[in-house]
Amino acid sequence: DGGITQSPKYLFRKEGQNVTLSCEQNLNHDAMYWYRQDPGQGLRLIYYSQIVNDFQKGDIAEGYSVSREKKESFPLTVTSAQKNPTAFYLCASSITANQPQHFGDGTRLSIL
Amino acid sequence: AQSVTQLGSHVSVSEGALVLLRCNYSSSVPPYLFWYVQYPNQGLQLLLKYTTGATLVKGINGFEAEFKKSETSFHLTKPSAHMSDAAEYFCAVSGLTSGTYKYIFGTGARLKVLA
C-alpha cells in the first residue's frame, strides 16, 4: 500500500541538540513538503522540494534544514537555533505542486 | 497573491443537522481548491478538490462543496452530521504565482457534533 511514513511518532529534544525527523514516501511523487502545526495556527510551510536535489524555504524556515538526495526521502532537521520547536510536524507529498497533498501521520516534538 | 479565509474556527452542530464550513479565497489566477479533514494526532486526508469543470464537487463521507467564482467561495457542506464527522477541517488553495505553484492552507475549523 502506497503512502507516507513519518518517524518517530514522538520525539524529545534536549537543549542545544539537533534532531532529525524522517519522512519516506513510496508514491513516486516529485514534490514533498514539511509543515509545522501549532494549535489555532493551521499549517505553516517550513520547506518544500519539487524535485530531487532541489528545495526551497517556506514561510518559517529559520532554525530548520532539509535534504532531498532521493526521491523517496525528505528528512527535516530541527537545529538548536530553533528556540521554540515544540509542535506537531507534518510531511506531505504530491505528484506535482498543484495537486492534492498526501500526508503522513506526523511527529510530535517536545522539549525535555 | 493568494490567501484563504475560514470563518469560524469552532463550529458546533447537532447530530443529523446540516454541516456548513465556510471558505473564501483570493487568487489572481484560476485556483485549484481543496478541503482536507484531520482527526486527532493524524495527518490530513483529502475530502474533495475542485480543479476545472463542474462547480459542485462531491467528496468522501457525504461531503460536497460548491465553487462560486462570483463570491470567491468554496464552502463545505454535508446534509446530515454524524458523530464521526467531529474533526478539524482545512480549506486550501493552489495557484500559479511567479511561475511557481503556491499551496496555501486556511487556519482550520474544528467541528463538534452534539448528540
Side-chain angles (χ1 to χ4, degrees), chain A residues 4-6 21-25 32 34 72-75 91-92:
Chain A
I4 296 185
T5 301
Q6 287 188 244
L21 285 61
S22 171
C23 177
E24 303 278 331
Q25 55 102 354
M32 296 189 75
W34 273 106
E72 310 79 48
S73 179
F74 192 42
C91 180

Side-chain angles (χ1 to χ4, degrees), chain A residues 18-110:
Chain A
N18 293 352
V19 291
T20 297
L21 285 61
S22 171
C23 177
E24 303 278 331
Q25 55 102 354
N26 60 3
L27 298 165
N28 201 32
H29 286 173
D30 284 319
M32 296 189 75
Y33 313 82
W34 273 106
Y35 294 94
R36 171 178 171 141
Q37 188 174 27
D38 296 281
Q41 294 196 44
L43 276 69
R44 292 185 290 170
L45 182 64
I46 305 173
Y47 270 97
Y48 65 101
S49 168
Q50 297 195 32
I51 198 167
V52 175
N53 292 322
D54 187 44
F55 49 83
Q56 287 79 41
K57 292 182 179 180
D59 301 316
I60 55 164
E62 186 174 349
Y64 300 97
S65 66
V66 294
S67 63
R68 186 87 188 275
E69 297 175 2
K70 298 187 298 182
K71 189 174 187 178
E72 310 79 48
S73 179
F74 192 42
L76 173 74
T77 296
V78 183
T79 75
S80 56
Q82 173 49 246
K83 298 306 179 189
N84 183 25
T86 297
F88 190 51
Y89 290 87
L90 287 165
C91 180
S93 71
S94 62
I95 297 171
T96 57
N98 63 335
Q99 293 301 314
Q101 295 186 8
H102 296 250
F103 284 80
D105 279 339
T107 293
R108 192 166 296 280
L109 176 62
S110 303

Side-chain angles (χ1 to χ4, degrees), chain A residues 9 35 37 42-43 48 50 88 90 97-101 103-105 108, chain B residues 32 34 36 38 41-44 46 49 90 94 100-101 103 105-107:
Chain A
K9 195 167 180 66
Y35 294 94
Q37 188 174 27
L43 276 69
Y48 65 101
Q50 297 195 32
F88 190 51
L90 287 165
N98 63 335
Q99 293 301 314
Q101 295 186 8
F103 284 80
D105 279 339
R108 192 166 296 280
Chain B
Y32 287 11
F34 310 88
Y36 291 83
Q38 184 182 32
N41 296 312
Q42 293 185 23
L44 280 67
L46 180 70
K49 66 177 181 181
F90 293 91
S94 174
T100 303
Y101 277 99
Y103 212 102
F105 284 90
T107 51

Side-chain angles (χ1 to χ4, degrees), chain B residues 31-102:
Chain B
Y32 287 11
L33 295 159
F34 310 88
W35 274 101
Y36 291 83
V37 61
Q38 184 182 32
Y39 298 100
N41 296 312
Q42 293 185 23
L44 280 67
Q45 301 171 36
L46 180 70
L47 274 178
L48 49 80
K49 66 177 181 181
Y50 169 80
T51 53
T52 58
T55 56
L56 182 63
V57 181
K58 295 188 184 299
I60 62 171
N61 301 339
F63 284 94
E64 61 182 37
E66 187 170 11
F67 171 60
K68 291 187 176 180
K69 186 178 179 181
S70 61
E71 298 177 9
T72 61
S73 69
F74 191 56
H75 302 330
L76 182 70
T77 60
K78 181 174 180 177
S80 176
H82 192 273
M83 297 299 286
S84 62
D85 295 326
E88 189 150 22
Y89 293 80
F90 293 91
C91 182
V93 62
S94 174
L96 203 55
T97 304
S98 302
T100 303
Y101 277 99
K102 290 277 286 184

